[in-house]
Amino acid sequence: MHDHPVPEYRVLFTVDIEDYSSRNDAEQRTLQSALSQMLDDAADAAELDRQAWERQHGGDGVYAILPAGTNVTPLMDTFVRELDAALGSYNRRRHETTWSRLRLRMAVHIGPVHLNGAMGWPGQHAVQPARLRDSEPLRAAMGALSEADLGVIVSSEIYRDYITQGPGEPRPTLFRPVRVEMKRQSYVAYLYVPRFNLHIVEALAAYSPSSGTEGGDPPPADKPPGSTLPFPGSGGGGDSNAGAMGGGGHTNIAYGAGDAFTGDKVGGNKNTYHGDHHDG
């Protein structure tokens, strides 16, 4: 009888610094140091043991597989909130000569993954977070919301099994479903930008799923998929391109179905770290 590798069911997430390659060497080192400290602080606040994360560093970000049994709720709630707050504080500071603005794209997924690959983590689930993180819908959202510091995209599994089931924040209504097309594969994913109303971002219309449902509550019976629904807390006000929470606005919510996965290589330097390794 042959022993076959058994994948482990894990939470996977990745963050990437926007526009990293345009910075000079000193600015990149400053960004790396700032990001590393922010991740440590946010993990501590969320009671996530970052020293137990399996990590691959790529200079402009990190790809991590969290320990078995990691609770997704504090990752999506406290960790994301603290990371966004730290980015806001850093971006207002501007006192270092090598300072440059730090914006992040973050992706979260969950699934079975092999941890014993010869050159990294093989498998269809291992590549999905990087694809979501680098996807056009997330880039479009960050481009439209220039004041945002953090953009988050989660897989349909994270949205369906954790976001819609509660407890904690962010609520499902704060996410916008999108379709990610990359490398001949199609994924339904969900975007979230802390403090901003994604549902009024016109640039995302091209990425909306066209039919079906994907987790959470379906549209009301008198509102077919794709119809206009008021954004919670907007008071039913008029449209606004600013997208900031608390303002008016409506949302065109389209629900989509299905995910497809494929195997591929993971970007970065392929070095896997465990513990307190830091780049830069």
Side-chain angles (χ1 to χ4, degrees):
M1 180 180 294
H2 296 285
D3 291 331
H4 297 286
V6 177
E8 298 185 27
Y9 196 74
R10 297 291 191 94
V11 177
L12 307 93
F13 96 98
T14 177
V15 293
D16 184 78
I17 299 173
E18 182 183 76
D19 198 29
Y20 179 82
S21 62
S22 72
R23 322 300 174 89
N24 64 36
D25 291 0
E27 290 170 339
Q28 289 184 2
R29 289 182 63 86
T30 298
L31 289 172
Q32 286 186 12
S33 296
L35 175 57
S36 181
Q37 187 63 55
M38 290 178 191
L39 293 175
D40 280 343
D41 292 344
D44 287 344
E47 299 184 350
L48 299 171
D49 184 7
R50 192 178 177 218
Q51 300 305 309
W53 296 3
E54 299 282 349
R55 284 174 282 172
Q56 290 180 342
H57 292 264
D60 56 350
V62 62
Y63 190 133
I65 297 179
L66 276 56
T70 293
N71 189 349
V72 173
T73 298
L75 174 66
M76 291 302 305
D77 188 335
T78 306
F79 182 88
V80 169
R81 183 173 63 250
E82 292 296 321
L83 183 58
D84 183 59
L87 287 166
S89 177
Y90 177 85
N91 288 332
R92 290 191 299 269
R93 193 170 59 202
R94 305 189 182 191
H95 68 266
E96 298 178 8
T97 57
T98 58
W99 177 94
S100 60
R101 188 178 180 193
L102 177 52
R103 303 179 84 208
L104 293 178
R105 299 190 308 272
M106 174 177 171
V108 185
H109 178 47
I110 191 168
V113 61
H114 294 276
L115 302 177
N116 56 352
M119 298 179 62
W121 303 312
Q124 57 187 357
H125 292 283
V127 301
Q128 187 172 350
R131 290 182 175 180
L132 297 181
R133 180 200 66 202
D134 296 337
S135 67
E136 287 301 322
L138 182 53
R139 292 179 184 273
M142 294 297 285
L145 301 173
S146 60
E147 295 183 2
D149 298 311
L150 174 65
V152 182
I153 185 168
V154 303
S155 66
S156 59
E157 290 86 349
I158 290 289
Y159 182 82
R160 179 191 64 231
D161 297 337
Y162 297 95
I163 300 300
T164 67
Q165 301 306 309
E169 299 290 337
R171 304 310 304 149
T173 51
L174 299 178
F175 288 77
R176 177 162 179 170
V178 295
R179 187 173 299 280
V180 173
E181 306 284 349
M182 187 172 290
K183 295 194 175 183
R184 295 180 293 180
Q185 296 296 325
S186 177
Y187 308 88
V188 170
Y190 293 80
L191 292 180
Y192 168 63
V193 176
R195 302 174 288 110
F196 290 87
N197 179 359
L198 279 172
H199 298 300
I200 61 175
V201 177
E202 296 181 358
L204 292 176
Y207 309 109
S208 294
S210 59
S211 63
T213 60
E214 182 70 24
D217 295 328
D222 60 342
K223 294 284 187 177
S227 64
T228 300
L229 301 173
F231 186 80
S234 68
D239 289 341
S240 168
N241 288 329
M245 294 291 290
H250 286 73
T251 170
N252 291 326
I253 303 180
Y255 293 80
D259 261 8
F261 306 95
T262 186
D264 203 347
K265 62 183 179 181
V266 175
N269 63 7
K270 305 299 186 302
N271 294 324
T272 300
Y273 303 100
H274 182 89
D276 58 359
H277 176 90
H278 301 294
D279 277 355

